Amino acid sequence: MRALITGITGQDGSYLAEFLLKKGYKVYGIYRRSSIETFERISHIRDKINLICADLTDQSSITEAIKQAKPDEVYNLAAQSFVPTSWTQPILTGDVTALGVTRILEAIRHVNPNIKFYQASSSEMFGKVQETPQTEKTPFYPRSPYGVAKVYAFWMTKNYRESYGMFCANGILFNHESPRRGKQFVTRKITDSAAKIKLGLQNKLFLGNLEAKRDWGYAGDYVEAMWLMLQHNKPDDFVIATGKTHSVRELCEVAFNHVGLNYEDYVKIDPKFLRPAEVDLLVGDYSKAKKELGWEPKIKFKELIEMMVDADLERNKRLLKESF
């Protein structure tokens, strides 16, 4: 089997590439040309995968990448995925996160419509939630340009499935984290800061809304769900979540407790980190995925956050040693 992953250099892309390699796949990954190489997350498997330079804003490069890889499956994990940036760069977010999906779908339709397609949809599509917990039937009410772009991509994926009979699946993934999470995301910002404060490299941590609640799972568990969707007997849409919710405050408590500190001594509120429109509560019902795909999350919240803190402690200790 051959798979093409967009966003292979990201958190999910790196875990999915590892997962597919273990399954015996020949793995191709799309990366975007930049002046600084960003292959850190895939450095340990770089010699086992095939990288193709392309961009979701450029139709011809996407089409050529699909022709070159000749994949059985395409996993679209690429996006402008940072919600705060979607407010400062709404046009770019729409071009990459929304229209980029249409470009991939068009390329698949013209090159080989039998290719199976996975779209990384997001719980941010629910935004101002209309019911709790959120299921595949919950109406969308996005509260950011990122959420709006993901809704567009979701419906385009569904439309290509229904209009052209293509195998197109949407995974509505709730927040999922790991030691490979980008440092600009609140989870990693907290675990990295807890490690740095413990090591005397930082004094304070400034955050926005501590009461925002999310359904946080482990990225390594969630990539298995992506694969299972494309092995299913029919293309469909699935919520992938843990069914449990935790606040940013709880996250701080677990992270700082793990290094023997009280978060209240170090965490301060900075209004600049508050969103123009806040998403207060997201929690998913993954019962459909459990029933039809046999999928369940394995790593629990506390275990996940402690795993991240441990990784950040090790990395910061290493950097500290190298600086002397």
Side-chain angles (χ1 to χ4, degrees):
M1 291 288 283
R2 298 160 75 96
L4 176 64
I5 303 169
T6 72
I8 196 167
T9 60
Q11 169 187 257
D12 292 9
S14 65
Y15 280 110
L16 179 62
E18 281 176 350
F19 179 86
L20 294 176
L21 286 169
K22 284 177 187 165
K23 292 280 181 190
Y25 276 66
K26 185 162 189 181
V27 176
Y28 290 80
I30 285 178
Y31 74 97
R32 192 182 42 179
R33 174 77 183 91
S34 66
S35 55
I36 300 169
E37 282 203 344
T38 53
F39 300 134
E40 182 188 346
R41 295 184 182 98
I42 54 169
S43 58
H44 61 298
I45 54 170
R46 182 90 184 265
D47 59 337
K48 296 174 185 168
I49 58 179
N50 307 275
L51 293 175
I52 302 170
C53 186
D55 196 303
L56 259 61
T57 63
D58 183 74
Q59 182 70 63
S60 61
S61 70
I62 294 297
T63 303
E64 283 307 308
I66 290 172
K67 283 180 180 175
Q68 188 180 328
K70 298 184 179 64
D72 299 290
E73 300 169 355
V74 170
Y75 295 85
N76 179 41
L77 311 185
Q80 190 305 97
S81 61
F82 191 45
V83 174
T85 298
S86 77
W87 286 105
T88 56
Q89 299 183 40
I91 310 298
L92 174 73
T93 301
D95 198 9
V96 176
T97 308
L99 286 176
V101 177
T102 311
R103 293 185 187 105
I104 298 170
L105 289 164
E106 271 296 277
I108 291 173
R109 185 168 76 88
H110 288 292
V111 175
N112 177 8
N114 294 318
I115 294 169
K116 292 182 175 182
F117 176 71
Y118 169 83
Q119 166 58 17
S121 292
S122 167
S123 59
E124 289 286 332
M125 300 188 303
F126 296 122
K128 189 176 180 180
V129 298
Q130 303 301 290
E131 64 177 0
T132 298
Q134 293 86 56
T135 72
E136 293 79 5
K137 293 179 179 174
T138 303
F140 299 137
Y141 196 141
R143 298 273 278 170
S144 67
Y146 170 76
V148 172
K150 282 290 188 182
V151 170
Y152 174 97
F154 173 92
W155 283 110
M156 286 305 282
T157 300
K158 207 171 171 87
N159 269 265
Y160 272 69
R161 178 168 82 214
E162 294 173 355
S163 302
Y164 299 116
M166 290 163 58
F167 195 112
C168 301
N170 278 297
I172 307 171
L173 271 58
F174 280 65
N175 293 61
H176 45 290
E177 317 297 324
S178 76
R180 298 179 197 170
R181 187 58 140 157
K183 284 188 204 166
Q184 73 271 38
F185 290 89
V186 70
T187 44
R188 184 72 193 288
K189 185 178 175 181
I190 292 167
T191 61
D192 187 49
S193 294
K196 281 180 175 166
I197 290 168
K198 179 65 177 178
L199 297 171
L201 299 170
Q202 189 175 315
N203 298 318
K204 299 288 179 193
L205 168 59
F206 295 95
L207 295 172
N209 181 13
L210 294 188
E211 308 316 320
K213 292 184 175 179
R214 293 290 183 275
D215 183 327
W216 276 300
Y218 173 50
D221 289 343
Y222 285 33
V223 297
E224 182 187 13
M226 300 175 188
W227 177 76
L228 286 169
M229 285 179 220
L230 296 197
Q231 315 317 308
H232 197 42
N233 56 8
K234 67 180 196 302
D236 206 345
D237 309 318
F238 293 92
V239 162
I240 302 299
T242 69
K244 293 182 168 56
T245 185
H246 301 274
S247 67
V248 175
R249 189 181 295 280
E250 281 177 80
L251 204 160
C252 290
E253 194 173 357
V254 172
F256 280 82
N257 278 355
H258 192 54
V259 292
L261 299 173
N262 181 355
Y263 81 94
E264 291 176 321
D265 296 334
Y266 304 97
V267 176
K268 306 297 173 192
I269 305 297
D270 186 336
K272 78 176 180 186
F273 293 117
L274 297 171
R275 294 179 184 180
E278 185 56 78
V279 176
D280 297 312
L281 171 65
L282 290 172
V283 57
D285 176 354
Y286 68 92
S287 55
K288 180 179 173 183
K290 182 179 178 180
K291 182 184 173 189
E292 295 189 25
L293 304 177
W295 180 87
E296 279 195 270
K298 300 178 184 76
I299 302 289
K300 302 285 192 293
F301 176 75
K302 186 170 182 284
E303 186 184 352
L304 168 63
I305 302 308
E306 290 178 351
M307 175 205 304
M308 292 171 68
V309 172
D310 287 338
D312 282 323
L313 270 173
E314 284 307 307
R315 189 179 48 80
N316 282 300
K317 280 177 188 171
R318 193 170 62 247
L319 291 173
L320 201 54
K321 210 177 281 182
E322 288 168 4
S323 66
F324 285 110

mmCIF file of all heavy atoms in Angstrom, residues 291-308:
data_model
loop_
_atom_site.group_PDB
_atom_site.id
_atom_site.type_symbol
_atom_site.label_atom_id
_atom_site.label_comp_id
_atom_site.label_asym_id
_atom_site.label_seq_id
_atom_site.Cartn_x
_atom_site.Cartn_y
_atom_site.Cartn_z
ATOM 1 N N LYS A 291 -18.156 1.931 17.923
ATOM 2 C CA LYS A 291 -19.045 0.885 17.415
ATOM 3 C C LYS A 291 -18.639 0.408 16.019
ATOM 4 O O LYS A 291 -18.577 -0.795 15.749
ATOM 5 C CB LYS A 291 -20.483 1.424 17.388
ATOM 6 C CG LYS A 291 -21.522 0.401 16.919
ATOM 7 C CD LYS A 291 -22.893 1.032 16.819
ATOM 8 C CE LYS A 291 -23.886 0.059 16.188
ATOM 9 N NZ LYS A 291 -25.179 0.722 15.884
ATOM 10 N N GLU A 292 -18.354 1.357 15.115
ATOM 11 C CA GLU A 292 -18.118 0.985 13.711
ATOM 12 C C GLU A 292 -16.647 0.728 13.369
ATOM 13 O O GLU A 292 -16.354 -0.052 12.468
ATOM 14 C CB GLU A 292 -18.676 2.073 12.783
ATOM 15 C CG GLU A 292 -20.192 2.192 12.868
ATOM 16 C CD GLU A 292 -20.767 3.101 11.798
ATOM 17 O OE1 GLU A 292 -20.129 3.267 10.735
ATOM 18 O OE2 GLU A 292 -21.861 3.652 12.029
ATOM 19 N N LEU A 293 -15.742 1.381 14.074
ATOM 20 C CA LEU A 293 -14.311 1.219 13.762
ATOM 21 C C LEU A 293 -13.567 0.402 14.820
ATOM 22 O O LEU A 293 -12.433 -0.008 14.602
ATOM 23 C CB LEU A 293 -13.627 2.596 13.643
ATOM 24 C CG LEU A 293 -14.217 3.598 12.647
ATOM 25 C CD1 LEU A 293 -13.462 4.919 12.717
ATOM 26 C CD2 LEU A 293 -14.177 3.034 11.222
ATOM 27 N N GLY A 294 -14.211 0.210 15.979
ATOM 28 C CA GLY A 294 -13.549 -0.492 17.074
ATOM 29 C C GLY A 294 -12.442 0.337 17.703
ATOM 30 O O GLY A 294 -11.501 -0.186 18.295
ATOM 31 N N TRP A 295 -12.584 1.666 17.610
ATOM 32 C CA TRP A 295 -11.539 2.559 18.125
ATOM 33 C C TRP A 295 -11.898 3.103 19.503
ATOM 34 O O TRP A 295 -13.040 3.461 19.761
ATOM 35 C CB TRP A 295 -11.326 3.742 17.179
ATOM 36 C CG TRP A 295 -10.259 4.682 17.677
ATOM 37 C CD1 TRP A 295 -8.922 4.589 17.454
ATOM 38 C CD2 TRP A 295 -10.454 5.846 18.507
ATOM 39 N NE1 TRP A 295 -8.253 5.614 18.095
ATOM 40 C CE2 TRP A 295 -9.168 6.401 18.751
ATOM 41 C CE3 TRP A 295 -11.572 6.466 19.071
ATOM 42 C CZ2 TRP A 295 -8.975 7.545 19.524
ATOM 43 C CZ3 TRP A 295 -11.387 7.596 19.853
ATOM 44 C CH2 TRP A 295 -10.106 8.132 20.067
ATOM 45 N N GLU A 296 -10.883 3.164 20.368
ATOM 46 C CA GLU A 296 -11.030 3.811 21.676
ATOM 47 C C GLU A 296 -9.713 4.478 22.053
ATOM 48 O O GLU A 296 -8.639 3.968 21.703
ATOM 49 C CB GLU A 296 -11.370 2.774 22.757
ATOM 50 C CG GLU A 296 -12.825 2.396 22.805
ATOM 51 C CD GLU A 296 -13.162 1.664 24.095
ATOM 52 O OE1 GLU A 296 -13.055 0.432 24.128
ATOM 53 O OE2 GLU A 296 -13.531 2.355 25.069
ATOM 54 N N PRO A 297 -9.761 5.625 22.767
ATOM 55 C CA PRO A 297 -8.508 6.250 23.227
ATOM 56 C C PRO A 297 -7.855 5.397 24.310
ATOM 57 O O PRO A 297 -8.553 4.771 25.112
ATOM 58 C CB PRO A 297 -8.972 7.602 23.779
ATOM 59 C CG PRO A 297 -10.408 7.393 24.159
ATOM 60 C CD PRO A 297 -10.958 6.376 23.196
ATOM 61 N N LYS A 298 -6.520 5.378 24.318
ATOM 62 C CA LYS A 298 -5.808 4.556 25.311
ATOM 63 C C LYS A 298 -5.144 5.410 26.402
ATOM 64 O O LYS A 298 -5.176 5.057 27.568
ATOM 65 C CB LYS A 298 -4.739 3.706 24.608
ATOM 66 C CG LYS A 298 -5.305 2.747 23.559
ATOM 67 C CD LYS A 298 -4.191 1.972 22.858
ATOM 68 C CE LYS A 298 -4.724 1.092 21.746
ATOM 69 N NZ LYS A 298 -5.071 1.851 20.525
ATOM 70 N N ILE A 299 -4.525 6.519 25.998
ATOM 71 C CA ILE A 299 -3.787 7.351 26.947
ATOM 72 C C ILE A 299 -4.728 8.347 27.630
ATOM 73 O O ILE A 299 -5.445 9.092 26.965
ATOM 74 C CB ILE A 299 -2.649 8.125 26.232
ATOM 75 C CG1 ILE A 299 -1.688 7.146 25.531
ATOM 76 C CG2 ILE A 299 -1.899 9.031 27.210
ATOM 77 C CD1 ILE A 299 -0.813 6.338 26.429
ATOM 78 N N LYS A 300 -4.710 8.363 28.973
ATOM 79 C CA LYS A 300 -5.570 9.266 29.756
ATOM 80 C C LYS A 300 -4.927 10.656 29.893
ATOM 81 O O LYS A 300 -3.727 10.833 29.706
ATOM 82 C CB LYS A 300 -5.813 8.681 31.153
ATOM 83 C CG LYS A 300 -6.454 7.300 31.155
ATOM 84 C CD LYS A 300 -7.933 7.373 30.823
ATOM 85 C CE LYS A 300 -8.663 6.071 31.087
ATOM 86 N NZ LYS A 300 -8.290 4.965 30.220
ATOM 87 N N PHE A 301 -5.746 11.651 30.250
ATOM 88 C CA PHE A 301 -5.332 13.056 30.327
ATOM 89 C C PHE A 301 -4.085 13.272 31.200
ATOM 90 O O PHE A 301 -3.093 13.856 30.753
ATOM 91 C CB PHE A 301 -6.504 13.896 30.853
ATOM 92 C CG PHE A 301 -6.176 15.346 31.073
ATOM 93 C CD1 PHE A 301 -6.042 16.222 30.004
ATOM 94 C CD2 PHE A 301 -5.999 15.852 32.367
ATOM 95 C CE1 PHE A 301 -5.737 17.562 30.206
ATOM 96 C CE2 PHE A 301 -5.708 17.191 32.575
ATOM 97 C CZ PHE A 301 -5.578 18.048 31.489
ATOM 98 N N LYS A 302 -4.123 12.785 32.452
ATOM 99 C CA LYS A 302 -3.002 13.012 33.375
ATOM 100 C C LYS A 302 -1.718 12.386 32.834
ATOM 101 O O LYS A 302 -0.642 12.998 32.861
ATOM 102 C CB LYS A 302 -3.348 12.433 34.754
ATOM 103 C CG LYS A 302 -2.314 12.727 35.845
ATOM 104 C CD LYS A 302 -2.862 12.329 37.210
ATOM 105 C CE LYS A 302 -1.897 12.645 38.334
ATOM 106 N NZ LYS A 302 -0.778 11.693 38.403
ATOM 107 N N GLU A 303 -1.849 11.184 32.309
ATOM 108 C CA GLU A 303 -0.699 10.474 31.736
ATOM 109 C C GLU A 303 -0.118 11.248 30.550
ATOM 110 O O GLU A 303 1.108 11.356 30.386
ATOM 111 C CB GLU A 303 -1.173 9.080 31.283
ATOM 112 C CG GLU A 303 -0.082 8.158 30.795
ATOM 113 C CD GLU A 303 -0.652 6.836 30.274
ATOM 114 O OE1 GLU A 303 -1.864 6.580 30.430
ATOM 115 O OE2 GLU A 303 0.141 6.076 29.703
ATOM 116 N N LEU A 304 -0.999 11.811 29.730
ATOM 117 C CA LEU A 304 -0.587 12.586 28.557
ATOM 118 C C LEU A 304 0.199 13.833 28.959
ATOM 119 O O LEU A 304 1.290 14.094 28.438
ATOM 120 C CB LEU A 304 -1.832 12.984 27.747
ATOM 121 C CG LEU A 304 -1.654 14.019 26.644
ATOM 122 C CD1 LEU A 304 -0.723 13.503 25.554
ATOM 123 C CD2 LEU A 304 -3.009 14.415 26.054
ATOM 124 N N ILE A 305 -0.358 14.602 29.894
ATOM 125 C CA ILE A 305 0.305 15.850 30.309
ATOM 126 C C ILE A 305 1.647 15.554 30.982
ATOM 127 O O ILE A 305 2.645 16.232 30.727
ATOM 128 C CB ILE A 305 -0.614 16.672 31.245
ATOM 129 C CG1 ILE A 305 -1.961 16.992 30.556
ATOM 130 C CG2 ILE A 305 0.081 17.956 31.685
ATOM 131 C CD1 ILE A 305 -1.850 17.623 29.175
ATOM 132 N N GLU A 306 1.690 14.519 31.805
ATOM 133 C CA GLU A 306 2.954 14.156 32.464
ATOM 134 C C GLU A 306 3.993 13.679 31.453
ATOM 135 O O GLU A 306 5.185 13.973 31.590
ATOM 136 C CB GLU A 306 2.694 13.102 33.551
ATOM 137 C CG GLU A 306 1.924 13.683 34.744
ATOM 138 C CD GLU A 306 1.599 12.652 35.823
ATOM 139 O OE1 GLU A 306 1.820 11.439 35.580
ATOM 140 O OE2 GLU A 306 1.128 13.075 36.907
ATOM 141 N N MET A 307 3.549 12.962 30.429
ATOM 142 C CA MET A 307 4.442 12.525 29.343
ATOM 143 C C MET A 307 5.061 13.737 28.646
ATOM 144 O O MET A 307 6.266 13.771 28.357
ATOM 145 C CB MET A 307 3.631 11.700 28.324
ATOM 146 C CG MET A 307 4.396 11.287 27.082
ATOM 147 S SD MET A 307 3.304 10.998 25.642
ATOM 148 C CE MET A 307 2.154 9.786 26.237
ATOM 149 N N MET A 308 4.234 14.762 28.414
ATOM 150 C CA MET A 308 4.700 15.979 27.758
ATOM 151 C C MET A 308 5.684 16.758 28.633
ATOM 152 O O MET A 308 6.710 17.246 28.160
ATOM 153 C CB MET A 308 3.512 16.856 27.360
ATOM 154 C CG MET A 308 2.661 16.251 26.259
ATOM 155 S SD MET A 308 1.112 17.154 25.958
ATOM 156 C CE MET A 308 1.721 18.697 25.258
#
